[in-house]
Amino acid sequence: MFVRKVAKRTAFMGWLIAVLSITSVPQASAAATIHYDSTNGGVCSTLLTSASLYANKLVATSSVTINTINVLIGAGSQTNFSSSRYYVMADHPTGGSSGNGAPSTVLATFTPDSISGSSTTTVAKYVGTYSVTAGTKYWVVAAQNAGAFPMCYRSTTPINSLNLSAFTGDTLTGYSGWLRASLSNGTNPVGANWTVNLPDALTFQYSLENNISTPVTAIVGTQSGSLIANYRTVTPLTVSVDTQSRVTFYANGRVVPGCRNILSSGGTATCNWKPSVHGSFKIYAAANPVSSSYVAANTSTITVGVAARTNRR
């Protein structure tokens, strides 16, 4: 009879662990409105190697808000991501060597948020906020050259490969294409004396978006699947998240010692809980996403009973 009970319990625990492993990492993403996209389906065409600073001129066709710039960086080095920046700059109408305007004052700064993808699909995400007005000309400016942090471009860009829902190129010159400003061996785009090339079909690969933040999805449980823990014995607690997050674990409203701001890896954060009191514990966790496309959220609560240890000293 005892063997039969153990077999049933073991089979049940195996089933429970399997169910948890299947459902532990739910898939979700932040909703986005894309106002401009020249990424060619999200694949890096050519990695820029020039030591010059560059900017693309756009004209807003709608009044919209931008809070994300996603830049394709391909297989380029990610070493200097934390210090890289992108600017939205005003247009100085008489600047530039071709008299077609040039970047002037900084209207908004977009700072590094996260990197996703791999190889030719790697994207560097920058966040900030700026509301553009229909009919106004702007420049999207890399604050560093490609030697400091990479970017991708297409030398020939068919118009039908672009998403131009809220922006278009400056066509007032009579040319078909996009004005591009450059600063030879530049290190700082602010207050610079830009050279503005006549429009051509070259575009840098990035998108201008408005991302709506959504809560991170997080699920808490014990690593074994059991809701029974042993007194003064390590019981691993796990939280599954759908975006990289820093996770803090709580037992009866108090932070579990050593389990504050644990960075998730592969969709999971683990806390080694060693209960020092018998009884019933309410366990939950708070997940704080690394990416600003998501907002923090708490898991639901599970109840874990702490019993005496099965072995004696």
Side-chain angles (χ1 to χ4, degrees), residues 155-175:
S155 57
T156 303
T157 308
I159 192 73
N160 60 5
S161 70
L162 299 172
N163 180 334
L164 301 174
S165 59
F167 293 90
T168 189
D170 182 5
T171 58
L172 297 180
T173 59
Y175 288 83

Side-chain angles (χ1 to χ4, degrees), residues 35-253:
H35 297 308
Y36 170 86
D37 187 353
S38 59
T39 62
N40 188 33
V43 179
C44 180
S45 178
T46 306
L47 193 63
L48 185 67
T49 58
S50 171
S52 298
L53 289 176
Y54 286 98
N56 266 148
K57 187 177 183 179
L58 297 174
V59 182
T61 56
S62 302
S63 296
V64 297
T65 296
I66 303 165
N67 62 19
T68 302
I69 300 177
N70 284 320
V71 181
L72 265 173
I73 63 170
S77 172
Q78 302 175 17
T79 302
N80 296 324
F81 178 56
S82 62
S83 60
S84 62
R85 299 287 187 274
Y86 271 77
Y87 296 139
V88 174
M89 299 182 75
D91 179 55
H92 189 290
T94 60
S97 57
S98 63
N100 289 314
S104 57
T105 57
V106 175
L107 300 175
T109 301
F110 285 73
T111 56
D113 178 84
S114 58
I115 290 179
S116 59
S118 62
S119 186
T120 58
T121 65
T122 304
V123 173
K125 177 182 176 181
Y126 297 82
V127 294
T129 185
Y130 192 71
S131 295
V132 297
T133 303
T136 308
K137 301 173 184 178
Y138 301 92
W139 293 83
V140 178
V141 183
Q144 59 286 314
N145 61 43
F149 194 71
M151 61 191 303
C152 297
Y153 72 95
R154 298 179 72 190
S155 57
T156 303
T157 308
I159 192 73
N160 60 5
S161 70
L162 299 172
N163 180 334
L164 301 174
S165 59
F167 293 90
T168 189
D170 182 5
T171 58
L172 297 180
T173 59
Y175 288 83
S176 124
W178 296 267
L179 285 170
R180 184 174 70 260
S182 61
L183 184 63
S184 180
N185 296 314
T187 57
N188 184 2
V190 181
N193 185 20
W194 292 89
T195 296
V196 180
N197 305 89
L198 290 174
D200 59 25
L202 185 149
T203 58
F204 295 103
Q205 293 183 274
Y206 60 85
S207 64
L208 305 178
E209 303 180 10
N210 187 7
N211 287 276
I212 302 170
S213 294
T214 58
V216 57
T217 300
I219 300 174
V220 68
T222 62
Q223 195 173 68
S224 67
S226 174
L227 296 181
I228 298 295
N230 291 321
Y231 174 68
R232 289 186 177 174
T233 301
V234 170
T235 297
L237 303 174
T238 63
V239 164
S240 299
V241 291
D242 63 344
T243 186
Q244 189 178 41
S245 304
R246 295 190 179 276
V247 180
T248 299
F249 293 77
Y250 295 85
N252 286 350

